[in-house]
Amino acid sequence: MKNIYIIFFGLLCMGSCGPENDKVSEVNQTPLPSWNEGASKSAILNFVQSVTDSTSASFVAIQDRIAVFDNDGTLWSEQPMYFQLAFALDQIKKMAPDHPEWNETEPFKSVLNNDLASVMQQGEHALIQIIMASHGGMTTNKFEVNVTAWMKAAKHPRFGRPYTDLIYQPMLEVLEYLRANDFKTFIVSGGGIGFMRPVTNQLYGIPAEQVMGSMMKVEYDKENKVINRYPELAFLDDKSGKPVGIYNFIGKKPIAAFGNSDGDLQMLEWTSTNENSFMMFVRHTDAEREWAYDSLSHIGRLKEGFAVAAASGWTIADMKKDWKVVYPFELEK
Amino acid sequence: MKNIYIIFFGLLCMGSCGPENDKVSEVNQTPLPSWNEGASKSAILNFVQSVTDSTSASFVAIQDRIAVFDNDGTLWSEQPMYFQLAFALDQIKKMAPDHPEWNETEPFKSVLNNDLASVMQQGEHALIQIIMASHGGMTTNKFEVNVTAWMKAAKHPRFGRPYTDLIYQPMLEVLEYLRANDFKTFIVSGGGIGFMRPVTNQLYGIPAEQVMGSMMKVEYDKENKVINRYPELAFLDDKSGKPVGIYNFIGKKPIAAFGNSDGDLQMLEWTSTNENSFMMFVRHTDAEREWAYDSLSHIGRLKEGFAVAAASGWTIADMKKDWKVVYPFELEK
């Protein structure tokens, strides 16, 4: 089981375009403009109004207004593969000249031959090798340079745009609306912290220090005063790891949690033990504008979580029904 | 060696009185009023002026104004023992009725007999047993209740005041001055996160999510939707652990770092690789108002760090010479 989530980790997300400044959080006169009227939009608005009304029994002090967001499939797309896996595959190709042995060694040989089907057939262990080779064995500075360069150059195969264009406009509005109401917004992702942090401020208005995710082993090199990355997973921020990550990094139980898959269920369940709290799953139902998957998918599966959400009365945002637009670039038209 | 720092961890600090609101960071007309004029005060003022002057080559953007502070011996006292060890010893006594076997088992027997000399003679392993028994085996909620109750009730043996009264007024002013200049202030302590976070906002205006420290192993209990603490160290935030902790939690290299012991040296050295940066050690030189120790002490030893600081031109704040008052309660007189 653990390896499956190591793959989750390897496939994750990050970006590099979108809102170009820190002021995404200016108060909107009309909140959530890209949301259609309906139960989901009303639930978000009602929750925020109830916890910010100082005369209400459900009022929550500003310091406790903590909202956590999964990233892949919740703030940006995760198809046809986690963006972080696309990055890893591209890195292997970029590093290949220094590794002539990869021409004869699987799974690298298949990566270099663009034979993704063969890579996938080789199973989890192959993916782990690809992730470790592309994410470890360098300083944190070098890794950040690699990620930043990839974010600028790489294009998503379906849309022909930077991966970082594939962020969800309606979710940007939720982030903005919460911050306008004195919430502090955090990312809590199965993706790697080093892959997300170079772009989260630019994309979402979330600074690096409010981004938690899975972590590779890193060590401080006293002589050279740099931090080195090692090809070993140190923390997997998925499933029961999410409440643990939130406890260790934030030290407060959130009052709002947003996810899209069973990997987010424990985060939402833990959040729901706060008396005045809001839990939402994004459901991928729009094959035309985005993708339709959910319960069928190996990536971002939402099955157990859907059942709990339905039984508990949590909000389920249906992309097709609830969102006027999916991506910010649709607004340019 | 590692065990020595596990003891550091066990002895650490936290508090529960002081500035009673979040607004410690209001701009002071005259910054650093409790600092005597001199090289240390000038160095702090000059640094902040240089990085906040948008016309200067040393200007630093607001999002990169990250300042990190050790806690024990830097923001509050750490004598005659780390406050966290005092807490641990008191917890053992409180828990004793449920552990009749402790009456016959060392090191608990000596703790219950108030024979601290015997505890110390039993060495590091005894201290680790005391810390693990008092810090593990309960939910994070229960631990927070224990810490909060202790902070309110316990009295420091020398001053007869709550431990949380023993915070440094001049350092509160540094925190305040930095925040007034758009710095984000973080604690990076060898002490435990669960011991510090219940009081850092109240004491220092630093919210829980900006407090990193050593961590016990915690796991999420899916059935009961709580987080349990286990008697096992998961992360030691000391020496080379401090840059690692900062990378993982903040994701940015600080531009200002404040410490008081060799355990902070790597944090200051890493910070110093930022072009426009400020490094300061607090030196414990005042046996009358606080304590005089430094290079001689087993707790908070500053020896190697002092040599590096002197050679590198870092600021060394001399408590006796530089500080008009040490503790806030001196201002009440």
Side-chain angles (χ1 to χ4, degrees):
Chain A
M1 281 301 284
K2 194 173 177 191
N3 285 346
I4 295 175
Y5 301 109
I6 290 176
I7 295 172
F8 265 73
F9 160 65
L11 314 187
L12 285 205
C13 58
M14 175 176 31
S16 81
C17 51
E20 285 291 326
N21 56 52
D22 284 5
K23 301 191 177 160
V24 240
S25 56
E26 275 175 22
V27 181
N28 245 308
Q29 289 301 325
T30 313
L32 312 182
S34 299
W35 288 73
N36 288 314
E37 299 304 319
S40 297
K41 181 173 180 173
S42 296
I44 300 169
L45 295 174
N46 290 340
F47 165 71
V48 172
Q49 278 155 19
S50 78
V51 296
T52 57
D53 174 1
S54 60
T55 66
S56 158
S58 48
F59 177 74
V60 175
I62 287 178
Q63 65 190 29
D64 295 322
R65 292 185 202 160
I66 302 290
V68 291
F69 292 79
D70 171 56
N71 188 31
D72 298 281
T74 301
L75 294 179
W76 73 8
S77 289
E78 59 185 354
Q79 297 287 357
M81 66 177 79
Y82 289 113
F83 296 178
Q84 194 169 348
L85 179 59
F87 164 76
L89 295 170
D90 285 349
Q91 287 307 109
I92 295 298
K93 292 175 194 167
K94 199 179 125 192
M95 295 163 78
D98 294 330
H99 296 272
E101 75 280 9
W102 285 355
N103 288 312
E104 304 304 327
T105 322
E106 291 293 358
F108 305 102
K109 187 179 169 184
S110 295
V111 175
L112 300 178
N113 290 333
N114 290 310
D115 186 354
L116 193 60
S118 162
V119 173
M120 292 303 173
Q121 273 174 355
Q122 294 173 52
E124 293 162 15
H125 182 65
L127 288 175
I128 293 168
Q129 281 184 281
I130 289 164
I131 290 155
M132 293 305 157
S134 55
H135 285 64
M138 65 194 86
T139 66
T140 55
N141 291 340
K142 173 67 178 154
F143 185 73
E144 186 175 333
V145 166
N146 289 348
V147 168
T148 305
W150 184 84
M151 290 287 182
K152 278 188 189 154
K155 294 280 196 296
H156 188 278
R158 171 171 163 189
F159 292 93
R161 292 172 166 271
Y163 284 86
T164 48
D165 278 9
L166 304 190
I167 56 180
Y168 303 135
Q169 175 64 28
M171 295 307 290
L172 296 180
E173 294 167 6
V174 171
L175 288 166
E176 189 173 341
Y177 177 56
L178 289 173
R179 289 193 294 253
N181 284 282
D182 297 315
F183 277 74
K184 209 163 178 177
T185 53
F186 290 82
I187 288 176
V188 179
S189 172
I193 52 170
F195 184 69
M196 297 183 284
R197 283 173 170 167
V199 293
T200 53
N201 199 31
Q202 195 181 358
L203 292 179
Y204 308 126
I206 298 180
E209 62 269 25
Q210 286 163 225
V211 176
M212 84 195 68
S214 295
M215 302 190 295
M216 303 282 283
K217 179 182 170 184
V218 298
E219 281 187 0
Y220 181 65
D221 171 350
K222 284 198 284 188
E223 293 311 309
N224 297 303
K225 301 184 178 65
V226 294
I227 296 176
N228 290 315
R229 296 172 62 93
Y230 292 86
E232 185 184 324
L233 187 65
F235 177 67
L236 183 66
D237 195 34
D238 195 46
K239 294 194 177 271
S240 288
K242 292 203 175 197
V244 165
I246 294 168
Y247 174 76
N248 282 335
F249 280 67
I250 306 179
K252 294 171 181 169
K253 194 192 294 177
I255 64 164
F258 300 79
N260 78 299
S261 82
D262 288 347
D264 304 313
L265 177 57
Q266 284 73 32
M267 175 169 84
L268 270 64
E269 284 189 318
W270 190 51
T271 300
S272 76
T273 63
N274 254 331
E275 206 173 339
N276 302 303
S277 52
F278 180 80
M279 285 64 62
M280 187 181 103
F281 277 121
V282 172
R283 202 174 173 200
H284 295 265
T285 52
D286 195 328
E288 198 178 325
R289 296 183 300 176
E290 208 244 7
W291 284 269
Y293 49 105
D294 286 5
S295 67
L296 308 167
S297 176
H298 285 286
I299 293 177
R301 179 183 305 208
L302 179 64
K303 195 168 177 182
E304 190 190 350
F306 187 82
V308 174
S312 311
W314 299 348
T315 297
I316 295 171
D318 182 305
M319 272 196 175
K320 190 167 182 176
K321 208 180 69 183
D322 286 327
W323 290 3
K324 287 184 190 162
V325 297
V326 174
Y327 301 123
F329 60 76
E330 295 169 30
L331 295 171
E332 295 160 13
K333 286 172 189 168
Chain B
M1 281 301 283
K2 193 174 176 191
N3 284 347
I4 293 174
Y5 300 109
I6 292 177
I7 294 172
F8 267 73
F9 160 66
L11 313 187
L12 287 203
C13 55
M14 175 179 27
S16 82
C17 51
E20 284 291 325
N21 57 54
D22 284 5
K23 301 193 176 157
V24 240
S25 57
E26 276 176 21
V27 182
N28 245 308
Q29 290 301 325
T30 314
L32 311 183
S34 299
W35 289 73
N36 288 314
E37 300 304 319
S40 297
K41 180 173 181 173
S42 296
I44 300 168
L45 295 174
N46 290 341
F47 164 71
V48 172
Q49 278 155 19
S50 78
V51 296
T52 56
D53 174 1
S54 61
T55 67
S56 159
S58 48
F59 177 74
V60 175
I62 287 177
Q63 67 190 27
D64 295 322
R65 291 185 201 160
I66 302 290
V68 290
F69 292 80
D70 170 57
N71 189 31
D72 298 281
T74 301
L75 294 180
W76 72 8
S77 290
E78 59 185 354
Q79 298 285 358
M81 65 177 81
Y82 290 112
F83 296 179
Q84 195 170 348
L85 179 58
F87 163 76
L89 295 170
D90 285 349
Q91 287 307 108
I92 295 297
K93 292 174 194 168
K94 200 179 123 193
M95 295 163 77
D98 293 330
H99 295 271
E101 74 280 11
W102 285 354
N103 288 313
E104 305 304 327
T105 322
E106 291 293 357
F108 305 103
K109 187 178 169 185
S110 294
V111 174
L112 300 178
N113 290 333
N114 289 310
D115 187 354
L116 193 59
S118 162
V119 173
M120 293 302 175
Q121 274 175 353
Q122 294 173 53
E124 292 162 14
H125 182 65
L127 288 175
I128 293 168
Q129 282 184 280
I130 289 163
I131 291 156
M132 294 305 157
S134 54
H135 285 64
M138 65 195 86
T139 66
T140 56
N141 291 341
K142 174 66 178 157
F143 185 71
E144 186 175 334
V145 166
N146 289 347
V147 167
T148 303
W150 184 84
M151 290 288 181
K152 277 189 188 153
K155 295 279 195 296
H156 188 280
R158 173 171 162 190
F159 292 93
R161 290 173 167 273
Y163 284 86
T164 49
D165 278 8
L166 304 192
I167 56 180
Y168 302 137
Q169 175 64 28
M171 296 305 292
L172 295 181
E173 293 168 7
V174 171
L175 288 166
E176 190 172 341
Y177 177 56
L178 290 173
R179 288 193 293 252
N181 285 281
D182 297 315
F183 277 74
K184 209 162 176 176
T185 53
F186 291 83
I187 287 176
V188 180
S189 171
I193 53 169
F195 184 68
M196 297 183 285
R197 283 172 169 169
V199 293
T200 53
N201 199 32
Q202 195 180 359
L203 291 179
Y204 307 128
I206 298 180
E209 61 270 25
Q210 287 163 223
V211 176
M212 85 194 67
S214 295
M215 301 189 295
M216 304 283 282
K217 179 182 170 186
V218 298
E219 281 186 359
Y220 182 64
D221 171 351
K222 285 199 284 189
E223 293 311 309
N224 296 302
K225 302 184 179 64
V226 294
I227 296 177
N228 290 315
R229 298 172 60 93
Y230 292 87
E232 186 183 325
L233 188 65
F235 178 66
L236 183 66
D237 195 34
D238 196 46
K239 295 194 175 274
S240 288
K242 291 204 174 194
V244 165
I246 293 168
Y247 174 76
N248 282 336
F249 280 68
I250 306 180
K252 294 171 181 170
K253 195 191 292 176
I255 63 165
F258 300 79
N260 79 299
S261 81
D262 288 346
D264 303 312
L265 177 57
Q266 284 73 33
M267 174 169 83
L268 270 64
E269 284 189 318
W270 190 51
T271 300
S272 76
T273 63
N274 253 332
E275 208 172 339
N276 302 303
S277 53
F278 180 80
M279 285 63 62
M280 188 181 104
F281 276 121
V282 172
R283 202 173 174 202
H284 295 265
T285 52
D286 195 328
E288 198 178 325
R289 296 185 299 177
E290 208 245 4
W291 284 269
Y293 49 106
D294 287 4
S295 67
L296 309 167
S297 178
H298 285 285
I299 293 176
R301 181 184 305 209
L302 179 64
K303 195 169 177 180
E304 190 190 350
F306 187 81
V308 174
S312 310
W314 298 349
T315 297
I316 296 171
D318 182 305
M319 270 196 177
K320 189 169 182 175
K321 210 180 70 185
D322 286 328
W323 289 4
K324 287 184 190 163
V325 296
V326 174
Y327 301 122
F329 59 76
E330 296 169 31
L331 295 170
E332 295 161 13
K333 286 172 189 166

Short mmCIF file of all heavy atoms in Angstrom, two decimals, chain A residues 85 89 106-128 130:
data_model
loop_
_atom_site.label_atom_id
_atom_site.label_comp_id
_atom_site.label_asym_id
_atom_site.label_seq_id
_atom_site.Cartn_x
_atom_site.Cartn_y
_atom_site.Cartn_z
N LEU A 85 4.91 13.85 -12.12
CA LEU A 85 5.45 12.72 -12.88
C LEU A 85 5.91 13.17 -14.27
O LEU A 85 6.96 12.74 -14.76
CB LEU A 85 4.43 11.59 -12.99
CG LEU A 85 4.90 10.36 -13.80
CD1 LEU A 85 6.17 9.74 -13.19
CD2 LEU A 85 3.80 9.30 -13.88
N LEU A 89 9.68 12.62 -15.67
CA LEU A 89 10.02 11.99 -16.96
C LEU A 89 10.89 12.92 -17.80
O LEU A 89 11.89 12.51 -18.39
CB LEU A 89 8.73 11.61 -17.71
CG LEU A 89 7.87 10.53 -17.05
CD1 LEU A 89 6.51 10.43 -17.75
CD2 LEU A 89 8.57 9.17 -17.02
N GLU A 106 16.46 -0.44 -17.65
CA GLU A 106 15.07 -0.09 -17.37
C GLU A 106 14.94 0.45 -15.95
O GLU A 106 15.74 0.09 -15.09
CB GLU A 106 14.16 -1.31 -17.55
CG GLU A 106 14.02 -1.77 -18.99
CD GLU A 106 13.29 -0.77 -19.90
OE1 GLU A 106 12.84 0.29 -19.40
OE2 GLU A 106 13.20 -1.04 -21.10
N PRO A 107 13.99 1.32 -15.69
CA PRO A 107 12.95 1.83 -16.60
C PRO A 107 13.41 3.02 -17.45
O PRO A 107 12.62 3.52 -18.25
CB PRO A 107 11.86 2.28 -15.62
CG PRO A 107 12.63 2.79 -14.45
CD PRO A 107 13.83 1.89 -14.32
N PHE A 108 14.69 3.42 -17.26
CA PHE A 108 15.15 4.64 -17.92
C PHE A 108 15.14 4.51 -19.46
O PHE A 108 14.79 5.44 -20.17
CB PHE A 108 16.54 5.02 -17.40
CG PHE A 108 16.57 5.14 -15.91
CD1 PHE A 108 17.10 4.13 -15.10
CD2 PHE A 108 16.01 6.25 -15.28
CE1 PHE A 108 17.09 4.24 -13.73
CE2 PHE A 108 16.00 6.36 -13.90
CZ PHE A 108 16.54 5.34 -13.11
N LYS A 109 15.51 3.31 -19.91
CA LYS A 109 15.52 3.06 -21.35
C LYS A 109 14.15 3.36 -21.98
O LYS A 109 14.06 4.04 -23.01
CB LYS A 109 15.91 1.58 -21.58
CG LYS A 109 16.12 1.19 -23.01
CD LYS A 109 16.53 -0.28 -23.07
CE LYS A 109 16.47 -0.79 -24.52
NZ LYS A 109 16.79 -2.23 -24.58
N SER A 110 13.11 2.88 -21.33
CA SER A 110 11.76 3.12 -21.87
C SER A 110 11.38 4.59 -21.80
O SER A 110 10.71 5.12 -22.70
CB SER A 110 10.72 2.29 -21.12
OG SER A 110 10.93 0.92 -21.34
N VAL A 111 11.81 5.27 -20.73
CA VAL A 111 11.52 6.71 -20.64
C VAL A 111 12.19 7.43 -21.82
O VAL A 111 11.56 8.24 -22.50
CB VAL A 111 12.05 7.29 -19.31
CG1 VAL A 111 11.87 8.82 -19.30
CG2 VAL A 111 11.35 6.65 -18.12
N LEU A 112 13.44 7.08 -22.08
CA LEU A 112 14.19 7.76 -23.14
C LEU A 112 13.62 7.43 -24.52
O LEU A 112 13.75 8.23 -25.46
CB LEU A 112 15.68 7.40 -23.06
CG LEU A 112 16.34 7.80 -21.73
CD1 LEU A 112 17.80 7.36 -21.70
CD2 LEU A 112 16.22 9.30 -21.47
N ASN A 113 12.98 6.27 -24.64
CA ASN A 113 12.32 5.90 -25.90
C ASN A 113 10.87 6.39 -25.98
O ASN A 113 10.13 5.99 -26.87
CB ASN A 113 12.34 4.37 -26.07
CG ASN A 113 13.75 3.87 -26.34
OD1 ASN A 113 14.60 4.59 -26.86
ND2 ASN A 113 14.01 2.61 -25.95
N ASN A 114 10.48 7.21 -25.01
CA ASN A 114 9.10 7.73 -24.96
C ASN A 114 8.07 6.60 -24.92
O ASN A 114 6.95 6.77 -25.40
CB ASN A 114 8.82 8.64 -26.15
CG ASN A 114 9.57 9.95 -26.03
OD1 ASN A 114 9.52 10.60 -24.99
ND2 ASN A 114 10.30 10.32 -27.07
N ASP A 115 8.46 5.48 -24.35
CA ASP A 115 7.55 4.34 -24.28
C ASP A 115 6.91 4.29 -22.88
O ASP A 115 7.28 3.48 -22.02
CB ASP A 115 8.33 3.05 -24.58
CG ASP A 115 7.40 1.85 -24.67
OD1 ASP A 115 6.18 2.00 -24.40
OD2 ASP A 115 7.90 0.76 -25.02
N LEU A 116 5.95 5.18 -22.67
CA LEU A 116 5.34 5.32 -21.35
C LEU A 116 4.56 4.06 -20.97
O LEU A 116 4.52 3.68 -19.79
CB LEU A 116 4.41 6.54 -21.34
CG LEU A 116 3.94 6.99 -19.95
CD1 LEU A 116 5.11 7.36 -19.07
CD2 LEU A 116 2.97 8.17 -20.07
N ALA A 117 3.97 3.40 -21.98
CA ALA A 117 3.22 2.17 -21.71
C ALA A 117 4.14 1.14 -21.05
O ALA A 117 3.76 0.48 -20.08
CB ALA A 117 2.63 1.62 -23.00
N SER A 118 5.35 1.02 -21.57
CA SER A 118 6.30 0.07 -20.99
C SER A 118 6.69 0.47 -19.57
O SER A 118 6.81 -0.38 -18.68
CB SER A 118 7.54 -0.03 -21.89
OG SER A 118 8.60 -0.61 -21.17
N VAL A 119 6.89 1.78 -19.35
CA VAL A 119 7.22 2.25 -18.00
C VAL A 119 6.11 1.82 -17.04
O VAL A 119 6.38 1.27 -15.96
CB VAL A 119 7.38 3.79 -17.98
CG1 VAL A 119 7.54 4.27 -16.54
CG2 VAL A 119 8.57 4.23 -18.82
N MET A 120 4.89 2.06 -17.43
CA MET A 120 3.76 1.76 -16.56
C MET A 120 3.65 0.27 -16.30
O MET A 120 3.36 -0.16 -15.20
CB MET A 120 2.45 2.30 -17.17
CG MET A 120 2.38 3.82 -17.20
SD MET A 120 2.56 4.57 -15.54
CE MET A 120 2.64 6.32 -15.95
N GLN A 121 3.92 -0.53 -17.35
CA GLN A 121 3.88 -1.99 -17.19
C GLN A 121 4.90 -2.48 -16.17
O GLN A 121 4.72 -3.53 -15.55
CB GLN A 121 4.14 -2.68 -18.52
CG GLN A 121 2.89 -2.87 -19.35
CD GLN A 121 3.19 -3.43 -20.73
OE1 GLN A 121 4.37 -3.57 -21.08
NE2 GLN A 121 2.16 -3.74 -21.50
N GLN A 122 5.98 -1.73 -16.02
CA GLN A 122 7.02 -2.15 -15.08
C GLN A 122 6.62 -1.91 -13.62
O GLN A 122 7.34 -2.29 -12.70
CB GLN A 122 8.35 -1.45 -15.42
CG GLN A 122 8.92 -1.89 -16.77
CD GLN A 122 10.13 -1.06 -17.17
OE1 GLN A 122 11.08 -0.94 -16.40
NE2 GLN A 122 10.11 -0.51 -18.36
N GLY A 123 5.52 -1.21 -13.45
CA GLY A 123 4.94 -1.13 -12.10
C GLY A 123 5.52 -0.03 -11.23
O GLY A 123 6.30 0.82 -11.66
N GLU A 124 5.10 -0.11 -9.96
CA GLU A 124 5.43 0.95 -9.00
C GLU A 124 6.92 1.14 -8.82
O GLU A 124 7.40 2.26 -8.69
CB GLU A 124 4.83 0.60 -7.63
CG GLU A 124 3.33 0.63 -7.61
CD GLU A 124 2.78 -0.12 -6.42
OE1 GLU A 124 3.54 -0.40 -5.48
OE2 GLU A 124 1.58 -0.43 -6.44
N HIS A 125 7.64 0.01 -8.78
CA HIS A 125 9.06 0.12 -8.51
C HIS A 125 9.75 0.97 -9.58
O HIS A 125 10.66 1.77 -9.27
CB HIS A 125 9.70 -1.27 -8.45
CG HIS A 125 11.16 -1.22 -8.12
ND1 HIS A 125 11.63 -0.76 -6.90
CD2 HIS A 125 12.26 -1.52 -8.86
CE1 HIS A 125 12.95 -0.81 -6.90
NE2 HIS A 125 13.37 -1.26 -8.08
N ALA A 126 9.32 0.83 -10.82
CA ALA A 126 9.90 1.63 -11.91
C ALA A 126 9.64 3.11 -11.70
O ALA A 126 10.53 3.95 -11.87
CB ALA A 126 9.33 1.17 -13.25
N LEU A 127 8.41 3.42 -11.30
CA LEU A 127 8.07 4.83 -11.07
C LEU A 127 8.89 5.42 -9.92
O LEU A 127 9.36 6.55 -9.99
CB LEU A 127 6.57 4.97 -10.78
CG LEU A 127 5.66 4.77 -11.99
CD1 LEU A 127 4.19 4.80 -11.57
CD2 LEU A 127 5.92 5.82 -13.07
N ILE A 128 9.06 4.61 -8.89
CA ILE A 128 9.87 5.09 -7.76
C ILE A 128 11.30 5.38 -8.21
O ILE A 128 11.88 6.39 -7.84
CB ILE A 128 9.84 4.05 -6.60
CG1 ILE A 128 8.42 3.99 -6.03
CG2 ILE A 128 10.84 4.42 -5.52
CD1 ILE A 128 8.19 2.82 -5.09
N ILE A 130 12.30 6.29 -11.12
CA ILE A 130 12.28 7.51 -11.94
C ILE A 130 12.18 8.75 -11.06
O ILE A 130 12.87 9.75 -11.27
CB ILE A 130 11.09 7.45 -12.93
CG1 ILE A 130 11.39 6.40 -14.01
CG2 ILE A 130 10.80 8.82 -13.55
CD1 ILE A 130 10.17 5.97 -14.80
#
